[in-house]
Amino acid sequence: MAKVVTNTERTPAEICEGLGELGVATVHEAQGRTGLLAPRLRPIYEGAKIGGNALTCEVAPGDNWMIHVALEQARPGDILVVSPTSPCEDGYFGDLLAASAKARGIRGLVIDAGVRDVATLRSMAFPVWSKAISAQGTVKETLGNVQVPIVCAGAHIRPGDVIIADDDGVCIVPRVTAAKVLEAGRKREAMEEEKRALYAAGKLSLDVNDMRERLQRKGLVYE
Amino acid sequence: MAKVVTNTERTPAEICEGLGELGVATVHEAQGRTGLLAPRLRPIYEGAKIGGNALTCEVAPGDNWMIHVALEQARPGDILVVSPTSPCEDGYFGDLLAASAKARGIRGLVIDAGVRDVATLRSMAFPVWSKAISAQGTVKETLGNVQVPIVCAGAHIRPGDVIIADDDGVCIVPRVTAAKVLEAGRKREAMEEEKRALYAAGKLSLDVNDMRERLQRKGLVYE
Amino acid sequence: MAKVVTNTERTPAEICEGLGELGVATVHEAQGRTGLLAPRLRPIYEGAKIGGNALTCEVAPGDNWMIHVALEQARPGDILVVSPTSPCEDGYFGDLLAASAKARGIRGLVIDAGVRDVATLRSMAFPVWSKAISAQGTVKETLGNVQVPIVCAGAHIRPGDVIIADDDGVCIVPRVTAAKVLEAGRKREAMEEEKRALYAAGKLSLDVNDMRERLQRKGLVYE
Amino acid sequence: MAKVVTNTERTPAEICEGLGELGVATVHEAQGRTGLLAPRLRPIYEGAKIGGNALTCEVAPGDNWMIHVALEQARPGDILVVSPTSPCEDGYFGDLLAASAKARGIRGLVIDAGVRDVATLRSMAFPVWSKAISAQGTVKETLGNVQVPIVCAGAHIRPGDVIIADDDGVCIVPRVTAAKVLEAGRKREAMEEEKRALYAAGKLSLDVNDMRERLQRKGLVYE
Amino acid sequence: MAKVVTNTERTPAEICEGLGELGVATVHEAQGRTGLLAPRLRPIYEGAKIGGNALTCEVAPGDNWMIHVALEQARPGDILVVSPTSPCEDGYFGDLLAASAKARGIRGLVIDAGVRDVATLRSMAFPVWSKAISAQGTVKETLGNVQVPIVCAGAHIRPGDVIIADDDGVCIVPRVTAAKVLEAGRKREAMEEEKRALYAAGKLSLDVNDMRERLQRKGLVYE
Amino acid sequence: MAKVVTNTERTPAEICEGLGELGVATVHEAQGRTGLLAPRLRPIYEGAKIGGNALTCEVAPGDNWMIHVALEQARPGDILVVSPTSPCEDGYFGDLLAASAKARGIRGLVIDAGVRDVATLRSMAFPVWSKAISAQGTVKETLGNVQVPIVCAGAHIRPGDVIIADDDGVCIVPRVTAAKVLEAGRKREAMEEEKRALYAAGKLSLDVNDMRERLQRKGLVYE
């Protein structure tokens, strides 16, 4: 039943990187406020901002065996996405696996569980978004699946979907809509630039966005 | 039913700033260990330390419309305090609203919900104490109240009460007792300075505070 | 019933420091994946890495009196370990107690509760691993025990056991096995060094650790 | 600083009982979706449904002394409302206090903390809404306040406000609006009765409430 | 962007009912330990045990409008599955909607949020598995999707997949494998029946399942 | 490293049963408010009340193999106590294991993890105190320890210590003090009986326990 799907399709690098530069908040809005992973996933250091192809990996609780299997499937630019089959905070991933992941071209790790050796991971500049930091070791006994669709932190992710991650969290963009979302995100960014200038100059969003009439119609009263 | 109360009274700036300098732990003690907001509110960066007038804002879950309304009511030195009517972690506030808030003289944000664009907020040095960091977008559909008494993170807050916030969390000082609390806080600070010197010199608090007899009376045994 | 046990045995300093240098993840593995405290204990700043003798202290919820008592029992190199008798997030420990602890030679604090004055603790470089940061003050009314065996964050700790703590969390090594664990940890570290070099050079852990045959035998399928 | 306010005003019994009969969901709606206490408060047995005057009591964490003080202030028909000054799950209240509370005419207990002896409380038919069930004992060392305004489970409650509680949770109705809310609640109940009949007969709420046009205007598409 | 997909395929009733009778634990095992929804979903009363087609409904936080829309799409034997786009505990569903759902032939509700009027729902014998019980009302302002694939409580669910629910929780069986899983579940049930008899007669599972040799090989020691 | 300790000492049955009859709240008080397991352990049905010898079992996350091993060590009157080496909510124990446990004379299960088949467990009247109800299956791959000292839900438990459990939760009484605690508990029960009668007759605990003077001395003010 456990399987590794090889040679899955990827989203082109320039789309992944374009989405990564836009950042999580903008891309999440540009695709209609969808795709966000649960905010329990937090970066282990500030300032990382990446985009790449999802390399999906399903693991048993307290068992990191399949991460070793997944690394062989990596292509440069991938982001490893790990989800346990039941909630777990153990430290599935540390400096040894990070050394291997980096050597295979993996840009970062998204894991709905724990990681360890975080001081070393920070000094390696290997970014991780995780649910916990925990030194708890894991075993290598139970199979799982690599490069199959998974649910990670509440989001459905297929191999080759685009993962973007920054200080705001993690978002997934489906491969089939990624190009369109990139375009929409760039438009949104431009529009936000204009608004930001108006707000910084003291204009109120009530006026910039013509909200007053609708507020009144809904019944807002000023005393 | 939803309303905005305009022209509410403020606490004088020098009192707000004096309390802000004392910091949350000292002020909380100086007013009899009251007024602390729940510790789930954490700063998005270290080292911010502010005091200001509460500009209160009640919002619906997943809906940030009233924050736009509240910004118009801001006066320089205010601190925006936002509480949802039911628990929510969505990202109510990001860089655009921060640009507007800063332009209106708002010193920072206290929110029992989520914020986003935190990398930008950090680079703007706009301090936020929040329950979560989340890119999840919000809608503008449901009215709420601005500048009315609210409960935020377990504390009852009226417009114009003093909010102080630092790395230890957030505390509220009622407007009517603020001057007295400032005085008491300064006395406490002086007293702590003396004790700190004694402790740093190796004196035990058991002796500095004469605790030994009372410990013995309560029945403490040394083996 | 409440008692303070004086003159408990300690683990030699060179063992404590050796274990501290190895770090939590390595030591936890070296003793068979035991001894880890719950990952809810997080450091108040990054980069601290210590090893020392457990100075145990059991406190009532919202009551820090016994910490004052415990400080008298400190010897240079001790790490104060505080556990409440029921779950509590209050701020049991702040800059005054830290000044005293530092003067008594205590290397750091591990507490399954809250601390405050964290900006000052950071500037003092006094490391703390805690469950919360909270300014909530505590009383001095109820006795507890000092230097008796306690359960802290899910781990059983006796006075004089070795506590090690770093960015990965906190681990306890029993005094009676500490020397042996140190030796095992150093061997593990050397072995990991070799593997790290292989992984960084692009070798797969599947090959380095001969995992392929066992994966196949368990039934893993490649598509 | 700690005080007991005696002879506070009550809301008339018929209003309390009328609101209690309407139940939490109806009353909460009738007063504009306000007043609900956090849903972490759960009943210790099913089927209790009460309304009464809030007898407020603020306690220290792990300390139930003020509950003893509060019982003297009880009048028949009161509901005891207890809130700790910092989060606590200890068992503040058990069968002895319940025997006393019942003898004083108290209708039930709402507590943002723990209770114990729940098997006995169930057999006494003394209803409790609590955050936890815990046998953990409490001390009698620290003063608090009785019959002052408090925040309990996120709601601001004054002595003599109406508390209603049933299987859905707990709600507070301010004394000053209680009569009006009772009236509004009864109207709402009548209106719901009509709708229930239509729905039970198979009518869709889309039609009963004329929602189709507004859904279409907002852009809902049927495929 | 918001849409309602009509006339989606269903899984035949006898398969749904067969799976429902087997129950969650057996079916979850029979399909390789997959498909379980997070255990935070609990039944509002004991003893309900159902199987039916998923009628999926995605809602905004604090907004139950789309549930009204979903009811029109119901066919007898469906189970309504509701998931908010960000975490929410509000009371989305009460006795009125239950009256309508029942009239439309819906067998029960699975919701990763809150419900209310639970006393009435219990007396109606309308089963619900929810994350919370809360009287907090919701608005009707924001569109969502009906009968599209959703993630609910960590599981990916498509319209017409089979939902089974009992006192152990909730499980989803994909429509395309449902017949095969039913067969496998019945075999498993028969096999368990045999084992149960052996265990009840005092036989040890160590012997019934021949575990001793493998335990010894792994290194288990008896002292 | 993994081991099973056989033929551990037990506490005499009459002491276990005597403590079980007194119940958790009384016994916890009688031994100085110690020994309580965390209140996250809840009974799967109301009304069970047991006392027996701890049969301890340490398991890996998501792996119930050692429970099978532990059952062989059972003696009539034992209570099985299971603790995972890292937090886990999976369903470690169901109706098959319960059939075996019952046949071996085990009185109940205390587990800091999940259980399943709860409808059957209820109908068998096999009592369980657990942290979760979850159908999630577990594997049989990793060894652990049986009949060694463990920490379960925050309490340190040795084989042959007395476990008592009822609707209030779970408590451990060390074997060496069990007889003395039983005696103290019976005295306490008698004393409580007297007080209960006074309270039920309307006497205030303020008077029965002479609290008024101490309250006044601490500074309580009546307004």
Side-chain angles (χ1 to χ4, degrees):
Chain A
M1 192 156 291
K3 71 181 174 189
V4 179
V5 182
T6 59
N7 295 313
T8 57
E9 278 196 83
R10 258 72 176 182
T11 302
E14 64 274 16
I15 293 178
C16 293
E17 282 152 26
L19 288 165
E21 278 159 31
L22 288 174
V24 170
T26 297
V27 169
H28 160 73
E29 289 285 347
Q31 65 178 338
R33 290 184 186 154
T34 61
L36 198 68
L37 277 69
R40 63 177 174 262
L41 300 195
R42 295 301 306 144
I44 61 166
Y45 59 86
E46 286 175 11
K49 191 172 180 178
I50 60 173
N53 274 284
L55 166 55
T56 68
C57 182
E58 186 195 84
V59 294
D63 191 314
N64 76 351
W65 207 10
M66 297 313 286
I67 297 180
H68 295 262
V69 173
L71 291 181
E72 189 177 24
Q73 305 306 316
R75 295 201 194 151
D78 280 357
I79 294 175
L80 182 57
V81 182
V82 178
S83 185
T85 51
S86 67
C88 190
E89 296 200 336
D90 293 353
Y92 280 81
F93 187 97
D95 62 347
L96 290 188
L97 283 170
S100 181
K102 210 166 177 179
R104 310 291 295 182
I106 291 178
R107 288 205 176 128
L109 168 67
V110 170
I111 180 166
D112 193 16
V115 292
R116 61 184 186 177
D117 300 323
V118 291
T120 308
L121 298 183
R122 285 167 187 148
S123 71
M124 291 170 69
F126 187 84
V128 175
W129 287 258
S130 72
K131 165 168 121 172
I133 292 170
S134 169
Q136 181 69 45
T138 52
V139 299
K140 286 163 192 63
E141 298 286 358
T142 301
L143 297 185
N145 297 291
V146 171
Q147 292 287 58
V148 303
I150 59 173
V151 172
C152 180
H156 189 243
I157 301 173
R158 275 151 305 210
D161 284 346
V162 185
I163 297 292
I164 57 172
D166 61 21
D167 288 353
D168 284 343
V170 184
C171 190
I172 174 258
V173 182
R175 191 170 58 81
V176 294
T177 55
K180 232 170 60 183
V181 171
L182 176 56
E183 197 184 350
R186 283 179 174 155
K187 273 187 198 143
R188 186 180 168 88
E189 197 180 43
M191 186 195 71
E192 290 205 334
E193 206 51 62
E194 279 176 47
K195 283 196 185 173
R196 190 178 294 109
L198 291 169
Y199 293 168
K203 294 271 183 208
L204 285 168
S205 58
L206 292 183
D207 298 316
V208 171
N209 301 294
D210 274 332
M211 292 175 176
R212 293 190 192 276
E213 194 201 318
R214 197 166 154 251
L215 285 165
Q216 194 180 6
R217 225 183 321 123
K218 285 256 184 176
L220 186 65
V221 175
Y222 286 78
E223 279 183 10
Chain B
M1 192 157 290
K3 70 181 176 190
V4 179
V5 182
T6 59
N7 295 314
T8 57
E9 279 196 82
R10 258 73 176 182
T11 303
E14 64 275 16
I15 295 178
C16 293
E17 281 152 27
L19 288 165
E21 277 158 32
L22 288 173
V24 170
T26 297
V27 168
H28 161 72
E29 289 285 347
Q31 66 178 339
R33 291 184 186 153
T34 60
L36 198 68
L37 277 68
R40 64 175 174 262
L41 299 195
R42 295 301 305 144
I44 61 165
Y45 59 87
E46 286 175 13
K49 193 172 179 178
I50 60 173
N53 274 283
L55 166 56
T56 67
C57 181
E58 186 195 83
V59 293
D63 191 314
N64 77 350
W65 207 10
M66 295 314 285
I67 297 181
H68 294 263
V69 173
L71 291 181
E72 188 177 26
Q73 305 305 316
R75 296 200 193 153
D78 280 356
I79 294 175
L80 182 58
V81 181
V82 178
S83 186
T85 51
S86 68
C88 189
E89 295 199 336
D90 293 352
Y92 281 80
F93 187 98
D95 62 347
L96 291 188
L97 284 170
S100 181
K102 210 165 178 179
R104 311 291 295 183
I106 291 178
R107 287 203 176 130
L109 168 68
V110 170
I111 180 166
D112 193 15
V115 291
R116 63 184 185 177
D117 300 323
V118 291
T120 307
L121 298 183
R122 285 167 188 148
S123 71
M124 291 171 69
F126 186 84
V128 175
W129 286 257
S130 72
K131 165 168 121 170
I133 292 171
S134 169
Q136 181 70 44
T138 52
V139 299
K140 286 164 191 63
E141 297 287 357
T142 301
L143 298 184
N145 296 292
V146 171
Q147 293 288 58
V148 303
I150 60 173
V151 171
C152 180
H156 189 241
I157 301 173
R158 276 152 303 212
D161 284 346
V162 185
I163 296 293
I164 58 173
D166 61 22
D167 287 354
D168 284 343
V170 184
C171 190
I172 174 260
V173 183
R175 191 169 58 81
V176 294
T177 56
K180 232 171 58 183
V181 171
L182 176 57
E183 198 184 352
R186 283 179 174 155
K187 273 187 197 144
R188 186 179 167 88
E189 197 180 42
M191 185 195 70
E192 290 205 334
E193 205 51 63
E194 279 176 48
K195 283 197 185 173
R196 190 177 294 109
L198 290 168
Y199 293 168
K203 293 272 185 210
L204 284 168
S205 57
L206 291 183
D207 298 315
V208 170
N209 302 294
D210 272 332
M211 293 175 178
R212 292 188 192 277
E213 194 200 318
R214 196 164 156 253
L215 284 165
Q216 195 180 4
R217 224 183 320 123
K218 285 255 184 175
L220 186 65
V221 175
Y222 286 78
E223 278 185 11
Chain C
M1 190 155 293
K3 71 181 173 189
V4 180
V5 182
T6 59
N7 295 316
T8 56
E9 278 196 84
R10 258 73 176 183
T11 303
E14 63 276 16
I15 294 178
C16 293
E17 282 153 25
L19 289 165
E21 278 158 30
L22 287 174
V24 170
T26 297
V27 169
H28 160 72
E29 289 286 344
Q31 66 178 339
R33 292 185 184 153
T34 61
L36 198 68
L37 276 69
R40 64 175 173 262
L41 299 195
R42 295 301 305 144
I44 61 165
Y45 59 86
E46 286 174 13
K49 192 172 180 177
I50 61 173
N53 275 284
L55 165 57
T56 68
C57 181
E58 186 194 84
V59 293
D63 191 313
N64 77 350
W65 207 11
M66 296 313 285
I67 297 180
H68 294 262
V69 172
L71 290 181
E72 189 176 25
Q73 304 305 317
R75 295 200 194 151
D78 280 357
I79 294 176
L80 182 58
V81 181
V82 178
S83 186
T85 51
S86 67
C88 190
E89 295 200 336
D90 293 353
Y92 280 81
F93 187 97
D95 63 347
L96 290 189
L97 283 170
S100 181
K102 211 166 178 178
R104 311 292 294 182
I106 291 178
R107 287 207 177 126
L109 168 68
V110 170
I111 180 165
D112 193 16
V115 292
R116 61 184 186 177
D117 300 323
V118 291
T120 307
L121 298 183
R122 285 168 188 148
S123 70
M124 291 170 71
F126 186 84
V128 175
W129 287 257
S130 72
K131 165 168 120 169
I133 292 171
S134 168
Q136 181 69 44
T138 51
V139 299
K140 286 165 191 61
E141 298 285 359
T142 301
L143 297 185
N145 296 291
V146 171
Q147 292 289 56
V148 303
I150 60 173
V151 172
C152 180
H156 190 241
I157 301 172
R158 276 151 304 212
D161 285 346
V162 185
I163 297 292
I164 57 172
D166 61 21
D167 288 353
D168 284 343
V170 184
C171 190
I172 173 259
V173 182
R175 191 170 57 81
V176 294
T177 56
K180 231 170 59 183
V181 171
L182 176 56
E183 198 184 349
R186 283 178 175 156
K187 272 187 199 145
R188 187 180 167 87
E189 197 180 42
M191 187 194 70
E192 291 205 332
E193 205 51 61
E194 279 175 48
K195 284 197 184 170
R196 191 178 292 109
L198 290 168
Y199 293 168
K203 294 271 183 209
L204 284 169
S205 57
L206 292 183
D207 299 314
V208 172
N209 301 294
D210 273 332
M211 292 175 179
R212 292 188 193 276
E213 195 201 319
R214 196 166 156 251
L215 285 165
Q216 194 181 5
R217 224 184 321 124
K218 285 255 185 177
L220 187 64
V221 175
Y222 286 79
E223 279 183 9
Chain D
M1 192 156 292
K3 70 180 176 191
V4 180
V5 181
T6 58
N7 295 314
T8 57
E9 279 195 81
R10 258 73 175 181
T11 303
E14 65 275 17
I15 294 178
C16 294
E17 282 152 27
L19 288 165
E21 277 158 33
L22 287 173
V24 170
T26 297
V27 169
H28 161 72
E29 289 286 344
Q31 65 178 339
R33 293 184 184 155
T34 61
L36 197 69
L37 276 69
R40 64 176 174 262
L41 300 195
R42 294 302 306 143
I44 62 166
Y45 60 86
E46 285 174 12
K49 192 171 179 180
I50 60 174
N53 274 284
L55 166 56
T56 69
C57 182
E58 186 195 84
V59 294
D63 191 314
N64 76 350
W65 207 9
M66 296 314 285
I67 297 180
H68 295 262
V69 173
L71 291 181
E72 188 177 25
Q73 305 305 316
R75 297 203 192 147
D78 281 355
I79 294 176
L80 182 58
V81 181
V82 178
S83 186
T85 51
S86 66
C88 190
E89 295 199 338
D90 293 353
Y92 280 80
F93 186 97
D95 62 347
L96 290 189
L97 283 171
S100 181
K102 211 166 176 179
R104 310 291 294 182
I106 291 179
R107 289 206 176 128
L109 168 68
V110 170
I111 180 166
D112 193 16
V115 292
R116 61 184 187 178
D117 300 322
V118 291
T120 308
L121 299 183
R122 286 168 188 149
S123 71
M124 292 171 69
F126 186 84
V128 175
W129 287 257
S130 73
K131 164 168 120 171
I133 293 171
S134 170
Q136 180 69 45
T138 51
V139 299
K140 287 165 191 60
E141 298 286 359
T142 301
L143 298 184
N145 297 290
V146 171
Q147 292 289 58
V148 302
I150 60 173
V151 172
C152 181
H156 189 243
I157 301 173
R158 276 152 304 211
D161 284 346
V162 185
I163 297 292
I164 58 173
D166 61 22
D167 288 354
D168 284 342
V170 184
C171 190
I172 173 259
V173 182
R175 190 169 58 81
V176 294
T177 56
K180 231 169 60 182
V181 170
L182 176 56
E183 197 183 351
R186 283 178 175 157
K187 274 187 195 143
R188 187 180 168 87
E189 199 180 40
M191 186 195 69
E192 291 204 334
E193 207 50 64
E194 280 176 47
K195 284 196 184 172
R196 190 177 293 110
L198 291 168
Y199 294 167
K203 293 272 184 208
L204 285 168
S205 57
L206 292 183
D207 298 315
V208 171
N209 302 293
D210 272 333
M211 291 174 178
R212 292 188 193 275
E213 193 200 320
R214 194 164 156 252
L215 285 164
Q216 193 180 6
R217 225 184 321 124
K218 284 253 184 178
L220 187 65
V221 175
Y222 285 78
E223 279 184 9
Chain E
M1 191 157 291
K3 70 181 175 192
V4 180
V5 182
T6 59
N7 295 313
T8 57
E9 278 195 82
R10 258 73 175 181
T11 303
E14 63 275 16
I15 294 179
C16 294
E17 280 150 29
L19 289 165
E21 277 158 32
L22 288 173
V24 171
T26 297
V27 169
H28 160 73
E29 289 286 346
Q31 65 178 339
R33 291 183 186 154
T34 61
L36 198 68
L37 276 69
R40 64 176 174 262
L41 300 196
R42 295 300 306 143
I44 61 166
Y45 60 87
E46 285 175 12
K49 192 171 180 180
I50 60 173
N53 275 283
L55 166 57
T56 67
C57 181
E58 186 195 85
V59 293
D63 191 315
N64 77 349
W65 207 11
M66 296 313 285
I67 297 181
H68 295 263
V69 173
L71 291 181
E72 188 177 24
Q73 305 305 315
R75 296 200 194 151
D78 281 355
I79 295 176
L80 182 58
V81 181
V82 178
S83 186
T85 51
S86 67
C88 189
E89 296 198 337
D90 293 353
Y92 280 79
F93 186 98
D95 62 347
L96 290 189
L97 284 170
S100 180
K102 211 166 177 180
R104 311 290 295 182
I106 291 179
R107 288 206 176 127
L109 168 68
V110 170
I111 180 166
D112 194 15
V115 291
R116 61 183 187 179
D117 300 324
V118 291
T120 308
L121 298 183
R122 285 169 187 146
S123 71
M124 292 170 69
F126 186 84
V128 176
W129 287 258
S130 72
K131 165 168 122 171
I133 293 170
S134 169
Q136 181 69 44
T138 52
V139 299
K140 286 163 192 61
E141 297 286 358
T142 301
L143 298 185
N145 297 290
V146 171
Q147 291 289 57
V148 302
I150 60 172
V151 172
C152 181
H156 189 241
I157 301 172
R158 275 152 306 212
D161 285 345
V162 185
I163 297 294
I164 57 173
D166 61 20
D167 288 353
D168 285 343
V170 184
C171 190
I172 173 258
V173 182
R175 189 169 57 81
V176 293
T177 56
K180 232 170 58 184
V181 171
L182 176 58
E183 197 183 351
R186 282 179 175 155
K187 274 187 197 145
R188 187 180 167 88
E189 198 181 41
M191 186 194 70
E192 291 205 333
E193 205 50 63
E194 281 175 47
K195 284 196 184 173
R196 190 177 294 109
L198 291 168
Y199 294 169
K203 293 272 183 209
L204 284 169
S205 58
L206 292 183
D207 298 316
V208 171
N209 302 292
D210 272 332
M211 291 175 178
R212 293 189 192 276
E213 194 201 318
R214 195 164 157 252
L215 285 165
Q216 193 180 7
R217 224 183 322 122
K218 285 255 185 178
L220 188 64
V221 176
Y222 286 78
E223 279 184 9
Chain F
M1 191 156 289
K3 70 180 177 193
V4 179
V5 182
T6 58
N7 295 315
T8 57
E9 280 195 82
R10 258 72 175 182
T11 303
E14 64 274 18
I15 294 179
C16 293
E17 282 151 26
L19 289 165
E21 278 158 31
L22 287 173
V24 171
T26 298
V27 169
H28 161 73
E29 289 285 345
Q31 66 177 338
R33 292 185 185 152
T34 61
L36 197 68
L37 276 68
R40 64 177 174 260
L41 300 194
R42 295 300 307 143
I44 60 165
Y45 60 86
E46 286 175 12
K49 191 171 180 180
I50 60 174
N53 275 283
L55 166 57
T56 67
C57 182
E58 185 195 84
V59 293
D63 191 314
N64 77 350
W65 207 9
M66 297 313 285
I67 296 180
H68 295 262
V69 173
L71 290 181
E72 189 177 23
Q73 306 304 317
R75 296 200 194 151
D78 282 355
I79 294 175
L80 182 58
V81 181
V82 178
S83 186
T85 51
S86 66
C88 191
E89 296 199 337
D90 292 353
Y92 280 80
F93 187 98
D95 63 347
L96 290 190
L97 284 170
S100 181
K102 210 165 178 182
R104 311 291 295 181
I106 291 178
R107 288 206 176 128
L109 168 68
V110 170
I111 181 167
D112 192 16
V115 291
R116 60 183 187 177
D117 301 323
V118 292
T120 308
L121 298 183
R122 286 168 188 147
S123 71
M124 292 170 69
F126 187 84
V128 176
W129 287 257
S130 72
K131 164 167 120 171
I133 293 171
S134 168
Q136 180 70 44
T138 52
V139 298
K140 287 164 191 60
E141 298 286 358
T142 301
L143 298 184
N145 297 290
V146 171
Q147 291 289 55
V148 303
I150 61 172
V151 172
C152 181
H156 190 242
I157 301 172
R158 274 152 306 213
D161 284 346
V162 185
I163 297 292
I164 57 173
D166 60 20
D167 288 352
D168 284 343
V170 184
C171 189
I172 174 258
V173 182
R175 190 171 56 83
V176 294
T177 56
K180 231 170 59 183
V181 170
L182 175 57
E183 197 183 351
R186 283 179 174 155
K187 273 187 198 145
R188 187 180 169 87
E189 198 181 40
M191 186 194 72
E192 291 205 333
E193 206 50 62
E194 280 176 48
K195 283 196 184 172
R196 190 177 294 110
L198 290 168
Y199 294 168
K203 293 271 182 209
L204 284 169
S205 58
L206 292 183
D207 298 315
V208 171
N209 302 292
D210 273 333
M211 291 174 178
R212 293 187 192 276
E213 193 200 321
R214 195 164 156 252
L215 284 165
Q216 192 180 9
R217 224 184 321 122
K218 285 254 185 177
L220 186 65
V221 176
Y222 286 77
E223 278 183 11

